[in-house]
Amino acid sequence: MASAPFPPVAASAASVPPRLAPRHPFAAAAAARRPVLPLRSSAVVAANTLRCTHRRAVSPRSRRRAQGLGAASALAESVWGVGEGKGACLSCFPKSRRGRSGLARFAPCALPHASGLSFRSRLSGSKVRPSHILRAAGPDEPHVASPTWSDTSLDTSDMDHAISKEELEDVLNTPLPEHPKLIRGQLKNGLRYLILPNKVPANRFEAHMEVHVGSIDEEEDEQGIAHMIEHVAFLGSKKREKLLGTGARSNAYTDFHHTVFHIHSPTKTKEYGEDLLPSVLDALNEIAFHPKFSSSRVEKERRAILSELQMMNTIEYRVDCQLLQHLHSENKLSNRFPIGLEEQIHKWDPDKIRRFHERRYYPANATLYLVGEIDDIPRAVREIGAVFEHTHSENEGNLLPSSSPFGAMASLFAPKLPGGFAANLSGEKSPATDKIKPVKRERQAVRPPVEHKWSLPGVAQDAKPPAIFQHELIQSFSINMFCKIPVSKVQTYKDLRSVLMKRIFLSALHFRINTRYKSSNPPFTSVELDHSDSGREGCTVTTLTVTAEPQNWKSAIKVAVHEVRRLKEFGVTMGEMTRYMDALIKDSEQLAMMIDSVPSVDNLDFIMESDALGHTVMDQLQGHESLLAVAETVTLEEVNTVGAEVLEFISDFGKPNAPLPAAIVACVPRMVHVDGVGETEFEIYPEEITEAIKAGLEEPIYPEPELEVPKELITQLELDELKSQHKPSFVPLTKEENAVKVFDSETGIAQRRLSNGISVNYKITQNEARVGVMRLIVGGGRATEDSESKGSVIVGVRTLSEGGCVGNFSREQVELFCVNNLINCSLESNEEFIFMEFRFALRDNGMRAAFQLLHMVLEHNVWLEDAFDRATQLYLSYYRSIPKSLERSTAHKLMLAMLNHDERFVEPSPHSLQKLTLQSVKDAVMNQFVGGNMEVSIVGDFTEEEVESCVLDYLGTVRAASSPNTEERIEKISFRPFPSDVHFQEVYIKDTDERACAYIAGPAPNRWGFATEGNDLFNVIQRSDADEISEPVNLDLTGKRRIDVRSHPLFFGITLSLLAEIINSRLFTTVRDSMGLTYDVSFELNLFDKLDLGWYVIAVTSTPSKVHKAVDACKGVLRGLHSSRIVERELDRAKRTLLMKHEAETKTNAYWLGLLAHLQSSSVPRKDVSCIKELTTLYESATIEDLYLAYEHLKVDDSSLFACIGIAGAESGEDTNDEEPDMDLHGMAPMGGRGVSTMTRPTT
């Protein structure tokens, strides 16, 4: 139903431009942290023509985390090698597994580089011992052991004393400190619980019940039954349903090794202030241990799961299954995928499902996690005991011994419950339990309970030949080389040191391959090396993944293995080690700074995964101090030795006693396009793959030269000359007013305008300590493309990104400049705007470095012919892959029908790409980069003096240019008129398996009330309200401030976002839950800011036999708002959802970037600061009548509505439509890593 706690989402919803934010009334989506590689554009945004954001691709939590942790995820992913979504959590840092591995994100720090465990301070003969100091405990707080280092245990009198190797080894073997606030306990029935107080988000908590049973525990005739139980138990719970009106959100997912039910809840009810923890625990108790297996619920969920199975069965899912089947061919992980087998799902009756539940779902086989604003720990422990203490399965004979997390202090607050709970806490026997015949039921010590064949040196086993998975829906070539070893538990300083050295080593390889070869025309699309722990698989896996165009596959493999061998043989250079060590430490420092601002769900996921892997859990400060301590002991020789061991399965491939790859799997297309020939069968054989690997290893190798890294891109002398030449200054914001600065004290937003026309907005905030974010927005985007320049903007942006050079600096130098200054940068475009975004550290002049890079891009950008060739080839490849994607083909056909074949809203066709030149794409992009057409917003923990100095120095010295009249150059955009033969269409794709999907779309206003042909809908509203007299602002009966929503510029943004929430809820309850026609259906709005139009889209997945009924049912819900009117309960729930989201996201810098967007844009004249500071009041003031007024302008009649059904199957008819298909980036780059798509989808 949802992903396991390591979703593959790369912050998609958060990283899109403001227009693409789901259900937010204006520019609310904010860019999450970007990859370090500068100027890497994202064509996903522009290509995703139908969707406001990625739909529930993995987990509801992945969207909650989309805005990011700041440094919390940065260190976990950069230091600890969390690769493409795999859960490689180590021991000290919460992580949000969203992005790429390697030095994907860095964040700054402000703590001194001093460790609580400095190895240089060890004196001969003195051993370091952890001193467990009791923290001060208040009347309601138990004494918690704080495993920190006491002052007396650290003798710092002789800092220069050199310790011996034996002494160092002794210190390194010291256990890592445990998290001082993490409470662990166990009830006498065996239920384990962990509690962690956490203040973010305020007044909320996470409660997750992890039952240690998953698909790996199923027998041959039970494949998918754990997932079925998850559905029935979760959706059949009446106690969970009672929480729906409280603001709580809940969901569930099943994976190989566990099933998790989770509830995100307020601490108290809004109306009466009642504590919600008991109700949440009661709901989880019912869901996990006391479900009702009624025949009606089983049948309803059987239909839902069969729909989910077909929805999941994409080519990406099938590729993931193939990878897992070969990687784990020796055990059940290869054939126990959580979704199950269709033929078995059809057969199970309630009794069989109940019997599996009785065998596996019992308290001793479960762990409860509570993380959030839980101030009264003793009370929480009492609540856990009161709810779960008497829960045990019918055939469970005894109650297991209970251990207290508080030792002797337990008697001070433990409840006197039957069964001797209080007595057991103090170690005494209970008469009641003495009489019970002991029948011990415990969870398995090893999860998942499988045996692996390890890839270790000298282990005798037969080498497996490369496996080949060939399919007609695969577009590009990819190969994965796997190495599988036991998980090395990170429990000592020595373990942590080893991880740090591996991270440095692999970061160097990632940079070398993806920077050096990107400077030319590489034979590969991407090369990734991931080394990560996997709790769901119970092992550590190293994966070399190479993707390429099919015709280049041999060269791509040779390059990848050649670079691996070169790094293994020569190692990293001293400059590389110093550079990446410094970056990782700075990132760790920033994480420690954010110790009190990490969201509860991220802390919880980290703890859950750490528990599964056996790693020690530290808090962020402990983790940073421990990292500093081990960093002092790392040498270049050891880094290269440890790193070489990771790569041996590749670099020593074919040699005696070398570790054998666990599997080599190539996923390839059946047919490939050959210029001048057309579609040709693609042939490849296992021995060819082996030969290509060996050939790459035989290429001559040379050591890596040290690269000169610029300390600054603009010297002080150059800056002085620029300031003398341009004389930058601030000017009045408007001609009508003389104010050169506008500051809103309520929101803290300042607005400025430079003499060259560039507008500047900034907000000072301590949301993320010493971190800043910046976004440049340039008006125009793809809408400025005309019939002779289709694709010029999107290809131009990609070309600039591919080049990566500025001035006289090479791509490599620019990227290392970003690494050294902890700068993440991206460049992307959509239909309305071009965006350039930065995340930077506010230490060591990090903000000035980011502004220098922005100045250089604007003033000294470099356009390279080979970068243009790569960008063009990339889009050509995407185009040719469209017929192999059911969803993209269907979406494309709908878009072309609805928008009169306007290519600005899809991707450029080969015909359009052939007409482009380097000069034409450069002109298309740079003509938009003019002063009056640019707006820069900055948010962060800086001072007014710091930000305004940077603005004047580096933005004020950009050459002024008159703004072109882009409005006049935008060709007309219109919806296809009725009648036509394309209002309803179908797409057919041949596939080995049956699937179906559909999109339903129609016109909507833009965010600010403009419709096609430039019609201002506020004029319509004013006419309808002409006879009504209302005050613009007043108080309601409860004293709350109210706004006349209809007179506010955000009327349509507010009301349509509330409508979207209500329609989504109705689609779920009707089309999915009641009618059983789909597993996944959603309604989303695409509201433009600048263009005078918008549209809505309903996306539904189904089966070929049900998809037409599903489309009709969706139309019925969409049109049924008059016959089945909205009620106050629905509106209140929608308001709570959006307000909670807004409140939580205002704690992030990235969200504020979205709020600031277009504040001074002449093309979005209706947006001002009131749209930000009155947002909450606008939501609260909206009425049902307001929603219906906006609903009248959603075109849902037959003459306005467009629909397209896509059907895939072996017997599908031929699609005779000759219109050019859409293309996007989905499927080109791996999303989320090995096997992630095999995890089940969200329940709700």
Side-chain angles (χ1 to χ4, degrees):
M1 292 181 183
S3 79
F6 26 89
V9 175
S12 301
S15 62
V16 294
R19 176 186 68 77
L20 302 178
R23 304 181 198 129
H24 192 281
F26 61 99
R33 292 169 309 284
R34 304 296 191 196
V36 158
L37 304 183
L39 310 183
R40 182 172 300 282
S41 67
S42 173
V44 174
V45 174
N48 196 7
T49 53
L50 277 176
R51 315 311 296 274
C52 297
T53 180
H54 295 292
R55 291 167 51 239
R56 295 183 295 270
V58 182
S59 163
R61 292 179 298 155
S62 66
R63 292 194 295 179
R64 293 207 302 274
R65 291 198 298 265
Q67 296 294 345
L69 277 178
S73 65
L75 185 61
E77 296 180 5
S78 59
V79 177
W80 309 131
V82 181
E84 292 294 315
K86 286 184 278 288
C89 89
L90 284 215
S91 60
C92 38
F93 305 93
K95 66 185 181 308
S96 170
R97 307 163 191 86
R98 291 185 298 271
R100 297 167 61 105
S101 60
L103 290 169
R105 301 181 179 91
F106 295 117
C109 53
L111 292 176
H113 280 196
S115 170
L117 184 65
S118 174
F119 290 108
R120 296 198 191 103
S121 65
R122 305 295 173 265
L123 292 177
S124 175
S126 65
K127 289 188 177 181
V128 180
R129 294 180 295 105
S131 176
H132 297 279
I133 305 170
L134 288 177
R135 300 168 62 232
D140 294 325
E141 182 184 9
H143 287 77
V144 181
S146 176
T148 55
W149 300 95
S150 69
D151 292 338
T152 57
S153 67
L154 304 180
D155 187 347
T156 58
S157 59
D158 187 1
M159 296 294 291
D160 296 327
H161 180 77
I163 65 174
S164 67
K165 287 185 178 181
E166 291 77 14
E167 290 174 315
L168 176 61
E169 189 72 16
D170 185 50
V171 174
L172 288 173
N173 286 325
T174 304
L176 290 166
E178 294 278 355
H179 196 304
K181 294 183 179 180
L182 182 63
I183 304 300
R184 297 175 183 266
Q186 182 174 320
L187 301 183
K188 57 182 178 293
N189 61 8
L191 178 71
R192 299 167 65 243
Y193 60 86
L194 291 89
I195 306 173
L196 178 65
N198 197 67
K199 297 290 186 182
V200 179
N203 303 314
R204 300 190 73 83
F205 67 93
E206 298 281 344
H208 289 212
M209 177 63 76
E210 178 187 26
V211 185
H212 303 287
V213 55
S215 59
I216 201 69
D217 302 294
E218 299 163 349
E219 301 300 333
E220 284 295 326
D221 63 342
E222 297 173 332
Q223 295 186 52
I225 203 167
H227 181 217
M228 170 69 85
I229 289 174
E230 175 223 313
H231 267 256
V232 174
F234 181 82
L235 288 172
S237 170
K238 299 298 182 184
K239 293 181 179 180
R240 180 192 65 84
E241 290 182 359
K242 291 179 180 179
L243 293 170
L244 294 180
T246 65
R249 301 193 302 271
S250 56
N251 222 313
Y253 60 85
T254 304
D255 200 0
F256 288 124
H257 63 310
H258 65 190
T259 301
V260 179
F261 306 99
H262 53 92
I263 299 176
H264 174 80
S265 172
T267 53
K268 299 182 183 298
T269 59
K270 187 175 181 180
E271 292 80 6
Y272 306 108
E274 296 174 346
D275 189 3
L276 275 171
L277 179 60
S279 299
V280 168
L281 296 176
D282 205 23
L284 288 175
N285 186 38
E286 179 183 63
I287 292 169
F289 305 123
H290 306 287
K292 301 293 190 295
F293 295 102
S294 66
S295 297
S296 59
R297 175 53 67 180
V298 168
E299 290 308 314
K300 185 176 290 186
E301 296 315 311
R302 194 194 312 276
R303 293 196 305 267
I305 289 171
L306 291 172
S307 294
E308 180 184 3
L309 190 150
Q310 288 212 335
M311 179 193 75
M312 288 180 63
N313 195 30
T314 62
I315 188 60
E316 291 79 15
Y317 173 80
R318 284 175 255 179
V319 166
D320 271 346
C321 289
Q322 287 290 321
L323 298 181
L324 290 170
Q325 284 171 2
H326 292 288
L327 174 60
H328 302 299
S329 59
E330 72 275 17
N331 61 51
K332 288 170 66 175
L333 287 170
S334 64
N335 55 27
R336 285 294 188 275
F337 303 121
I339 192 65
L341 298 179
E342 181 176 358
E343 60 270 19
Q344 293 190 19
I345 295 170
H346 278 291
K347 296 177 182 178
W348 302 320
D349 58 23
D351 286 339
K352 185 172 183 65
I353 298 170
R354 185 181 296 107
R355 286 195 297 272
F356 184 88
H357 182 273
E358 290 172 352
R359 292 204 316 268
R360 299 289 185 177
Y361 291 71
Y362 50 91
N365 200 34
T367 304
L368 173 69
Y369 298 86
L370 288 180
V371 180
E373 195 155 9
I374 303 171
D375 296 325
D376 193 340
I377 301 296
R379 182 179 178 184
V381 172
R382 291 197 298 270
E383 296 287 0
I384 294 170
V387 172
F388 292 100
E389 186 66 42
H390 303 290
T391 294
H392 52 87
S393 57
E394 295 177 359
N395 58 349
E396 184 177 356
N398 78 317
L399 302 176
L400 299 176
S402 171
S403 63
S404 167
F406 310 126
M409 293 298 296
S411 60
L412 297 181
F413 61 86
K416 305 299 183 182
L417 296 176
F421 176 52
N424 280 338
L425 285 175
S426 59
E428 299 175 8
K429 290 186 177 181
S430 164
T433 56
D434 283 343
K435 298 176 182 179
I436 298 176
K437 183 179 179 180
V439 180
K440 210 166 188 179
R441 301 184 71 208
E442 298 176 327
R443 73 185 183 110
Q444 292 147 323
V446 178
R447 296 290 301 167
V450 297
E451 292 187 3
H452 294 282
K453 289 184 178 178
W454 304 121
S455 306
L456 297 173
V459 175
Q461 53 180 299
D462 295 332
K464 294 188 290 186
I468 298 174
F469 175 54
Q470 199 162 20
H471 199 281
E472 52 267 23
L473 295 186
I474 295 178
Q475 169 67 14
S476 60
F477 170 89
S478 68
I479 187 168
N480 292 268
M481 294 182 67
F482 294 110
C483 173
K484 185 164 56 169
I485 61 175
V487 173
S488 297
K489 297 179 180 180
V490 181
Q491 298 178 341
T492 67
Y493 287 91
K494 185 176 182 179
D495 302 329
L496 184 63
R497 182 173 181 261
S498 176
V499 172
L500 175 61
M501 292 190 288
K502 290 176 183 177
R503 187 67 260 146
I504 293 169
F505 194 82
L506 298 181
S507 296
L509 178 64
H510 180 271
F511 180 84
R512 287 185 186 185
I513 292 179
N514 289 286
T515 301
R516 176 187 297 111
Y517 288 95
K518 286 292 183 182
S519 300
S520 57
N521 281 318
F524 56 81
T525 304
S526 68
V527 176
E528 299 289 342
L529 186 69
D530 170 65
H531 178 81
S532 55
D533 302 329
S534 173
R536 67 191 300 253
E537 297 164 277
C539 57
T540 296
V541 180
T542 306
T543 311
L544 176 68
T545 302
V546 182
T547 60
E549 291 299 309
Q551 65 271 22
N552 298 328
W553 74 268
K554 290 184 180 180
S555 299
I557 289 177
K558 290 178 181 178
V559 166
V561 299
H562 175 260
E563 281 299 320
V564 168
R565 177 171 171 254
R566 193 163 76 95
L567 181 62
K568 191 257 183 180
E569 293 298 329
F570 294 111
V572 300
T573 67
M574 181 58 74
E576 287 175 317
M577 188 186 83
T578 303
R579 183 159 53 244
Y580 295 120
M581 173 84 80
D582 183 57
L584 298 176
I585 288 176
K586 289 176 182 177
D587 201 40
S588 164
E589 209 169 7
Q590 171 59 25
L591 203 109
M593 291 287 293
M594 296 181 65
I595 189 171
D596 295 321
S597 58
V598 178
S600 294
V601 68
D602 294 288
N603 272 322
L604 189 149
D605 282 350
F606 165 70
I607 295 168
M608 185 182 294
E609 183 73 358
S610 296
D611 254 22
L613 294 166
H615 297 327
T616 296
V617 179
M618 294 186 284
D619 70 19
Q620 291 85 347
L621 184 57
Q622 291 172 323
H624 175 61
E625 292 178 344
S626 300
L627 187 70
L628 282 175
V630 298
E632 295 175 359
T633 72
V634 169
T635 67
L636 180 63
E637 181 182 3
E638 288 177 297
V639 168
N640 288 327
T641 300
V642 170
E645 293 175 358
V646 176
L647 302 182
E648 279 182 344
F649 79 104
I650 303 169
S651 61
D652 294 353
F653 179 79
K655 294 182 179 179
N657 297 321
L660 292 175
I664 301 175
V665 187
C667 300
V668 304
R670 289 198 183 277
M671 306 293 291
V672 294
H673 181 86
V674 178
D675 292 336
V677 179
E679 293 295 309
T680 305
E681 186 175 352
F682 181 68
E683 295 184 353
I684 185 172
Y685 301 96
E687 53 270 21
E688 291 181 295
I689 295 173
T690 302
E691 290 171 3
I693 295 172
K694 291 182 177 180
L697 295 175
E698 292 170 359
E699 292 285 330
I701 57 175
Y702 306 97
E704 178 78 2
E706 286 285 9
L707 185 67
E708 182 182 353
V709 183
K711 294 183 178 180
E712 52 190 9
L713 300 180
I714 301 173
T715 66
Q716 186 60 47
L717 180 60
E718 291 170 334
L719 179 60
D720 291 340
E721 292 177 356
L722 285 170
K723 292 167 69 173
S724 175
Q725 178 183 353
H726 295 284
K727 296 180 172 53
S729 64
F730 292 113
V731 299
L733 270 65
T734 63
K735 296 179 180 179
E736 294 77 19
E737 300 179 6
N738 291 324
V740 296
K741 181 177 182 179
V742 174
F743 178 76
D744 182 77
S745 57
E746 187 174 340
T747 60
I749 295 171
Q751 299 178 65
R752 290 281 213 172
R753 185 179 294 270
L754 289 163
S755 51
N756 56 10
I758 298 176
S759 302
V760 177
N761 313 305
Y762 66 85
K763 175 179 170 61
I764 300 171
T765 172
Q766 284 74 47
N767 282 336
E768 299 173 38
R770 303 301 291 162
V771 174
V773 292
M774 175 167 59
R775 174 186 289 160
L776 165 70
I777 300 179
V778 184
R782 294 200 64 194
T784 60
E785 298 173 357
D786 57 31
S787 56
E788 297 302 315
S789 63
K790 296 176 182 177
S792 58
V793 172
I794 194 170
V795 174
V797 167
R798 183 74 192 197
T799 299
L800 190 57
S801 166
E802 287 287 325
C805 307
V806 293
N808 295 321
F809 299 105
S810 68
R811 180 189 179 100
E812 292 92 333
Q813 289 177 306
V814 173
E815 295 198 2
L816 290 176
F817 175 80
C818 290
V819 170
N820 285 356
N821 290 283
L822 306 185
I823 297 172
N824 305 326
C825 174
S826 69
L827 180 65
E828 57 191 36
S829 65
N830 67 11
E831 296 89 341
E832 297 183 289
F833 305 99
I834 296 173
F835 300 85
M836 190 169 184
E837 301 186 2
F838 299 82
R839 178 180 174 85
F840 50 85
L842 283 157
R843 56 164 289 161
D844 301 332
N845 291 316
M847 183 159 66
R848 298 193 76 83
F851 271 88
Q852 285 181 14
L853 179 56
L854 175 56
H855 177 98
M856 294 296 288
V857 172
L858 295 177
E859 291 289 275
H860 303 287
N861 46 80
V862 178
W863 294 78
L864 303 174
E865 194 71 45
D866 62 345
F868 169 68
D869 292 340
R870 291 197 300 273
T872 304
Q873 184 60 41
L874 187 66
Y875 282 103
L876 189 62
S877 175
Y878 298 158
Y879 174 86
R880 289 173 178 155
S881 70
I882 299 309
K884 300 186 178 185
S885 168
L886 179 65
E887 289 78 11
R888 287 155 57 195
S889 297
T890 308
H892 165 82
K893 198 164 190 176
L894 178 72
M895 290 299 300
L896 290 181
M898 185 169 68
L899 293 170
N900 268 322
H901 211 286
D902 195 328
E903 203 174 280
R904 289 172 291 181
F905 296 91
V906 290
E907 304 312 19
S909 66
H911 176 71
S912 299
L913 292 170
Q914 289 172 1
K915 297 167 66 174
L916 299 177
T917 65
L918 178 62
Q919 189 62 47
S920 69
V921 301
K922 177 182 178 181
D923 292 343
V925 172
M926 298 313 299
N927 284 343
Q928 299 181 35
F929 279 76
V930 292
N933 197 38
M934 294 192 289
E935 180 186 56
V936 176
S937 299
I938 313 107
V939 180
D941 183 18
F942 42 70
T943 65
E944 177 181 345
E945 181 182 2
E946 287 173 331
V947 68
E948 295 200 349
S949 171
C950 287
V951 167
L952 282 172
D953 286 353
Y954 300 109
L955 291 181
T957 53
V958 171
R959 287 169 292 182
S962 58
S963 177
N965 192 344
T966 55
E967 294 291 342
E968 293 181 359
R969 299 193 301 127
I970 294 179
E971 293 185 353
K972 179 181 177 181
I973 303 168
S974 61
F975 293 95
R976 189 184 297 263
F978 185 83
S980 76
D981 57 355
V982 294
H983 272 65
F984 178 81
Q985 301 179 93
E986 294 189 356
V987 170
Y988 299 97
I989 291 181
K990 284 203 170 185
D991 191 1
T992 53
D993 300 338
E994 286 191 345
R995 296 178 61 238
C997 70
Y999 294 105
I1000 307 161
N1006 80 356
R1007 202 180 312 276
W1008 307 100
F1010 291 98
T1012 52
E1013 309 297 334
N1015 294 328
D1016 187 348
L1017 298 182
F1018 277 95
N1019 295 331
V1020 179
I1021 294 175
Q1022 291 170 2
R1023 287 197 297 270
S1024 66
D1025 289 346
D1027 298 330
E1028 298 181 17
I1029 300 175
S1030 61
E1031 294 294 328
V1033 181
N1034 52 39
L1035 301 179
D1036 64 9
L1037 296 177
T1038 64
K1040 290 184 178 179
R1041 182 171 178 264
R1042 293 286 177 179
I1043 293 179
D1044 179 11
V1045 181
R1046 299 185 189 187
S1047 64
H1048 199 279
L1050 262 181
F1051 170 77
F1052 285 97
I1054 291 289
T1055 52
L1056 289 176
S1057 61
L1058 289 167
L1059 266 176
E1061 287 292 328
I1062 293 169
I1063 292 172
N1064 264 305
S1065 178
R1066 290 192 175 192
L1067 285 169
F1068 179 87
T1069 57
T1070 303
V1071 185
R1072 181 200 188 276
D1073 209 33
S1074 298
M1075 302 178 71
L1077 297 173
T1078 181
Y1079 181 79
D1080 192 29
V1081 58
S1082 68
F1083 173 93
E1084 293 184 8
L1085 291 162
N1086 198 348
L1087 305 180
F1088 289 98
D1089 287 292
K1090 181 177 179 180
L1091 301 178
D1092 291 338
L1093 79 159
W1095 58 75
Y1096 61 85
V1097 178
I1098 295 177
V1100 59
T1101 60
S1102 190
T1103 64
S1105 61
K1106 294 180 179 179
V1107 68
H1108 290 85
K1109 291 180 181 178
V1111 168
D1112 290 339
C1114 291
K1115 291 180 182 179
V1117 171
L1118 186 61
R1119 296 169 176 167
L1121 265 64
H1122 282 303
S1123 58
S1124 177
R1125 289 187 62 82
I1126 297 170
V1127 297
E1128 286 292 340
R1129 176 178 52 83
E1130 290 179 294
L1131 178 58
D1132 289 344
R1133 184 178 297 175
K1135 288 180 178 180
R1136 277 197 300 269
T1137 299
L1138 294 175
L1139 285 171
M1140 283 192 306
K1141 186 183 301 183
H1142 171 66
E1143 180 183 359
E1145 291 180 342
T1146 53
K1147 308 301 182 189
T1148 66
N1149 290 347
Y1151 185 70
W1152 276 101
L1153 264 190
L1155 296 178
L1156 294 177
H1158 316 310
L1159 265 183
Q1160 298 188 56
S1161 173
S1162 59
S1163 59
V1164 189
R1166 286 182 171 163
K1167 181 167 183 180
D1168 57 26
V1169 174
S1170 71
C1171 295
I1172 300 173
K1173 63 183 180 181
E1174 295 175 354
L1175 182 59
T1176 299
T1177 308
L1178 286 167
Y1179 275 130
E1180 292 173 341
S1181 302
T1183 65
I1184 292 176
E1185 289 71 25
D1186 292 330
L1187 268 60
Y1188 274 103
L1189 186 56
Y1191 175 64
E1192 294 302 321
H1193 299 286
L1194 283 182
K1195 305 299 183 182
V1196 300
D1197 56 285
D1198 284 331
S1199 62
S1200 302
L1201 189 144
F1202 295 80
C1204 188
I1205 291 176
I1207 297 175
E1211 303 300 323
S1212 290
E1214 292 296 328
D1215 180 13
T1216 58
N1217 179 54
D1218 59 358
E1219 292 182 308
E1220 294 167 332
D1222 180 21
M1223 57 188 173
D1224 61 34
L1225 293 178
H1226 306 273
M1228 292 303 298
M1231 292 266 310
R1234 177 188 66 260
V1236 170
S1237 70
T1238 61
M1239 294 177 286
T1240 59
R1241 297 299 195 261
T1243 313
T1244 57

